Amino acid sequence: MTNSVAQRLSQVKERMEKAARNAGRDAKDIELVAVSKTHPTERIAEALDAGHRSFGENRVQEAMAKFPELRARFPDLELHLVGPLQSNKAADAVATFDVIQTVDREKIARALAKEMERQGRSPRCFLQVNTGEEPQKAGVAPGDVGAMVALCRDLGLPLRGLMCIPPVEEPPAPHFALLRQLAQRHELPLLSMGMSNDFETAVELGASHVRVGTAIFGERPKP
Ligand SMILES: *Cc1c(COP(=O)(O)O)cnc(C)c1O
């Protein structure tokens, strides 16, 4: 079959390698998070069978329905939360995910810290930054990143990086550059940026993680 998940995965990896080379980077320093939201476990298993181990889901509930079975077969898979988190789901999120990319407000930071303490589990965290300052979008405003980083550190959250979703109608590069600048200023080593349409730009601008769904699994069914 021409468009298998395995083939699409290797095409995306090739494009990442080329972008990394252009920027004088080593592609090994960039993690491809395969965003599997809405896709059934059989499709995800195709990626796992092809050797891929890093996945992203945007809903806690959906991840809890799909991943226990996959984890039983592939214990070394790594699951990232890339969608908004409600504080009443903090316990499930801490139990289910290895990385939480969408810490975006004080209430969530506190709920996660409390659950990590209670469960003795420490998923690595990213702060989501609303680089476009879009009112409808989740994320900390760029001007509030310093205060949120300080709070997360006070709470003992394992904060490792920043994540952003640029406005759809704008070129992404300035947003990626801003995210990198903020991460440097606050001494955070990881940057999650870039999706199917712009991951090469993100790689060139320093991404440590790209989150790619459609280019790997195909179009998502419309809701
Ligand atoms: C769905 C989603 C992606 C993947 O988007 P594609 O355009 O399908 O690659 C990346 N990041 C987040 C936060 C998402 O919700």
Side-chain angles (χ1 to χ4, degrees), residues 44-119:
I44 304 170
E46 286 179 48
L48 285 158
D49 284 331
H52 195 75
R53 290 294 180 270
S54 176
F55 296 88
E57 286 281 339
N58 70 334
R59 289 164 180 268
V60 177
Q61 233 56 12
E62 184 181 338
M64 288 173 77
K66 283 155 54 173
F67 273 84
E69 163 202 343
L70 294 166
R71 243 192 234 283
R73 286 161 60 197
F74 299 94
D76 59 338
L77 75 77
E78 188 180 75
L79 189 55
H80 295 244
L81 178 62
V82 300
L85 181 58
Q86 255 85 56
S87 52
N88 63 357
K89 300 266 170 61
D92 288 336
V94 167
T96 305
F97 292 92
D98 305 293
V99 181
I100 296 176
Q101 294 204 4
T102 49
V103 180
D104 63 352
R105 56 196 190 275
E106 176 169 347
K107 193 174 177 199
I108 288 298
R110 290 191 185 278
L112 287 172
K114 198 170 130 198
E115 275 308 318
M116 288 187 196
E117 169 100 73
R118 202 176 64 83
Q119 297 183 29

Side-chain angles (χ1 to χ4, degrees), residues 124-189:
R124 284 154 285 146
C125 293
F126 289 65
L127 270 192
Q128 182 173 353
V129 183
N130 187 359
T131 56
E133 306 202 49
E134 297 171 276
Q136 81 289 2
K137 197 169 269 178
V140 181
D144 297 337
V145 168
M148 266 297 280
V149 169
L151 173 74
C152 291
R153 287 181 172 148
D154 280 351
L155 292 168
L157 271 193
L159 185 66
R160 300 285 179 268
L162 302 179
M163 156 305 190
C164 76
I165 310 172
V168 280
E169 69 286 359
E170 286 180 31
H175 296 274
F176 297 159
L178 171 62
L179 198 71
R180 178 169 65 177
Q181 204 180 65
L182 289 167
Q184 278 167 349
R185 186 178 309 156
H186 299 292
E187 298 179 350
L188 292 165

Side-chain angles (χ1 to χ4, degrees), residues 15 149 190 200:
R15 289 167 58 189
V149 169
L190 303 181
E200 286 140 313

Side-chain angles (χ1 to χ4, degrees), residues 35 37 58 82-83 102 163 165 194-197 211-215 218 220:
V35 179
K37 65 188 185 201
N58 70 334
V82 300
T102 49
M163 156 305 190
I165 310 172
M195 320 202 317
S196 290
N197 288 330
R211 312 177 307 266
V212 179
T214 309
R220 286 180 287 275

